[in-house]
């Protein structure tokens, strides 16, 4: 009698992620997994970041994760970089981008001509934190209107990430938010997390974020 | 040879939810499942709503869903209503409140003395929409900084809900948001969804929301 073996989903997922990473490393592609709550500003930040990277002659591509629709991909289309829309709906409306979806997306990308690949994950501060996709760095975008307590309430996300972008800085004067408390909460969860303040509206902080990216590409050698 | 039967998780979850509902109906408790992205303002709305309901002699209780921490429950504690903190962390850090957690919470609540039970779900615009907990109504809170496109990108949530609260109305003058487009996007997904604008900061819209609740309690008979 044959005994069926059910592999842990996470084990399978990680194996695919390691394959993705092997492909990225072979071509020295630096991969960022961008995560946040819905509407924290990931797409807007990419809209503002990619032209700056292009000016610095750094080639980019985007895997755009969404449950359904191509709304975000359509917003990025005018930037003229390769974009693959990865919808989780045909796979059951998954609440996060899976490594198998990244693997599928790679068929449509020429890795040899890409220096930075952004994976814009689905807007969700919970589940995406649990899955490794093969990325070099995980970045969480937290918009100021979400409040100071989010790192304490969604600790895994902040524990897993390498950089926290605090977005919508331009709204700070209109919010009852204590930025020092927010930063202290972030570092209570993850003392090593880099923090960059950004207003995509005014442009504040964008060059610091681009420098953070470029320094990490250079370190790939 | 005995054949193991694996029951669909959703089937099991729904069976528990129906038991919850039977208990609610027996005591004429009106139950609201409140959902939103992280930081959309669910707790703040409850902080402002419950005192108004108390003034109108309507008794409330709250099941406070969070992955970890009692931050939100602590904020509601001064209101002097029964609160049960339901953390999903011991169950593996679930990204939504499950019907079994509501069932467990009911052991700590005297349903015969409650007219409205609020279940504050985990901040997540995706997964909580998939699970029936036994509630009478589902309410989604969408904060204006999240943008007009959210109903199109997270359609299940807006399809499942009976009321959409548009929160942080006071920030509207500082955002590039088209409220008519937002409402049209909501109704594109769910033409029957009620919409109420709220600013918990200024109090605007709170009485409309309380009226919405009270009308529905009265209809329970």
């Amino acid at each position: 009698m044959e005994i069926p073996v059910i592999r842990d989903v996470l084990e399978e997922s990680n194996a695919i992620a390691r394959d993705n990473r092997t492909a990225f490393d072979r071509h020295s592609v630096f991969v960022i997994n961008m995560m946040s709550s819905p509407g924290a500003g990931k797409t807007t930040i990419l809209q503002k970041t990619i032209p700056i990277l292009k000016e610095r002659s750094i080639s980019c591509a985007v895997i755009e994760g969404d449950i359904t629709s191509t709304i975000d991909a359509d917003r990025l289309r005018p930037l003229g970089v390769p974009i693959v829309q990865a919808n989780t709906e045909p796979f059951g409306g998954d609440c996060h981008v899976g490594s198998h979806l990244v693997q599928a997306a790679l068929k449509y990308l020429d890795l040899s001509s890409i220096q930075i690949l952004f994976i814009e994950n689905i807007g969700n501060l919970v589940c995406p934190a649990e899955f490794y996709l093969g990325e070099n760095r995980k970045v969480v975008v937290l918009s100021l209107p979400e409040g100071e307590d989010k790192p304490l309430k969604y600790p895994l996300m902040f524990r897993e990430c390498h950089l926290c972008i605090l977005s919508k800085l331009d709204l700070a004067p209109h919010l009852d938010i204590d930025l020092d408390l927010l930063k202290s909460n972030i570092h209570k969860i993850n003392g090593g997390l880099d923090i960059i303040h950004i207003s995509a509206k005014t442009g504040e902080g964008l060059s610091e974020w681009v420098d953070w990216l470029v320094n990490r590409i250079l370190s790939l050698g």
Side-chain angles (χ1 to χ4, degrees), chain A:
Chain A
M1 187 185 142
E2 201 169 324
I3 297 170
V5 177
I6 294 163
R7 275 205 289 171
D8 178 50
V9 175
L10 208 55
E11 189 189 309
E12 174 120 14
S13 166
N14 282 334
I16 297 172
R18 282 191 296 270
D19 288 347
N20 293 342
R21 180 58 174 267
T22 304
F24 298 143
D25 285 349
R26 191 181 307 132
H27 298 286
S28 299
V29 183
F30 184 72
V31 182
I32 295 281
N33 180 0
M34 282 184 83
M35 299 178 281
S36 78
S37 299
K42 296 185 297 303
T43 312
T44 306
I45 290 171
L46 287 179
Q47 275 183 307
K48 300 297 175 89
T49 303
I50 291 172
I52 304 175
L53 288 166
K54 284 177 81 172
E55 272 170 31
R56 298 202 195 176
S57 302
I58 293 170
S59 55
C60 310
V62 180
I63 296 177
E64 187 55 64
D66 282 296
I67 295 171
T68 186
S69 86
T70 58
I71 293 172
D72 288 351
D74 291 340
R75 288 172 59 194
L76 298 179
R77 196 191 300 265
L79 301 176
V81 299
I83 304 170
V84 180
Q85 176 71 51
N87 282 350
T88 63
E89 200 169 42
F91 297 88
D94 269 2
C95 51
H96 61 276
V97 170
S99 56
H100 61 288
L101 259 187
V102 172
Q103 188 179 46
L106 294 189
K107 288 178 208 151
Y108 300 93
L109 293 172
D110 173 16
L111 290 183
S112 66
S113 68
I114 297 168
Q115 288 170 281
I116 301 189
L117 172 62
F118 294 100
I119 302 172
E120 187 181 334
N121 220 308
I122 286 169
N124 181 346
L125 214 50
V126 189
C127 319
E130 299 170 19
F131 298 91
Y132 173 53
L133 306 178
E135 69 273 11
N136 297 79
R137 290 289 187 281
K138 292 180 200 282
V139 174
V140 56
V141 180
L142 181 68
S143 69
L144 296 192
E146 294 174 63
E148 303 97 342
D149 57 354
K150 294 304 158 297
L152 306 180
K153 293 180 62 187
Y154 303 87
L156 185 67
M157 180 60 80
F158 291 84
R159 211 169 278 142
E160 288 289 321
C161 282
H162 305 87
L163 170 68
C164 175
I165 293 178
L166 296 177
S167 67
K168 308 198 183 183
L169 188 58
D170 50 281
L171 289 178
H174 312 295
L175 301 167
D176 302 318
I177 190 157
D178 179 339
L179 280 175
D180 289 332
L181 175 60
L182 172 56
K183 283 186 269 187
S184 138
N185 285 343
I186 290 170
H187 286 143
K188 214 178 273 180
I189 299 298
N190 182 347
L193 195 58
D194 293 337
I195 298 177
I196 296 178
H197 297 75
I198 281 186
S199 165
K201 200 170 187 173
T202 68
E204 195 174 341
L206 282 172
S207 64
E208 191 184 348
W209 151 237
V210 169
D211 288 343
W212 187 92
L213 287 167
V214 172
N215 286 337
R216 270 144 199 89
I217 301 172
L218 294 176
S219 73
L220 278 187

